[in-house]
């Protein structure tokens, strides 16, 4: 069975904030990353990943379990 990674909401929020700062800065990716000590590759990866996540529909919540009465006969 394939392993699935749990998403870290703090990490996602952090990268969303960084991407927004980059967009507003007017700097190139290279200049922005150099100023903050970030990897250009990481910024590009997160930009692509978050765009893909935003395109996917939100997962529906798990359905609540249904209980049915059980009658034991002897």
């Amino acid at each position: 069975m394939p392993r699935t990674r749990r998403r870290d909401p703090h990490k996602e929020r952090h990268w969303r904030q960084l991407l927004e700062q980059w967009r507003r800065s007017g700097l190139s990716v290279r200049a922005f990353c150099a100023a903050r000590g970030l990897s250009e590759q990481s910024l590009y990866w997160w930009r692509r990943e978050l765009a893909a996540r935003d395109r996917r529909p939100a997962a529906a919540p798990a359905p609540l379990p249904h209980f049915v009465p059980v009658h034991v006969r002897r």
Side-chain angles (χ1 to χ4, degrees):
M1 182 157 79
R3 291 179 55 180
T4 58
R5 289 187 182 181
R6 290 180 45 119
R7 290 185 182 171
D8 182 348
H10 301 292
K11 187 180 281 189
E12 182 172 333
R13 190 175 323 116
H14 171 75
W15 278 99
R16 285 186 186 277
Q17 290 171 349
L18 282 174
L19 286 165
E20 184 59 29
Q21 290 170 12
W22 164 67
R23 286 185 191 102
R24 290 181 180 194
S25 74
L27 297 172
S28 66
V29 169
R30 177 166 288 175
F32 181 83
C33 290
R36 286 173 176 71
L38 299 171
S39 160
E40 292 177 46
Q41 184 179 5
S42 293
L43 190 131
Y44 282 120
W45 186 88
W46 276 101
R47 184 175 69 170
R48 188 173 53 252
E49 175 65 18
L50 294 174
R53 288 181 188 184
D54 291 345
R55 284 191 301 270
R56 286 185 220 128
L64 296 174
H66 295 278
F67 295 97
V68 295
V70 176
H71 302 282
V72 179
R73 291 186 163 181
R74 291 183 184 217

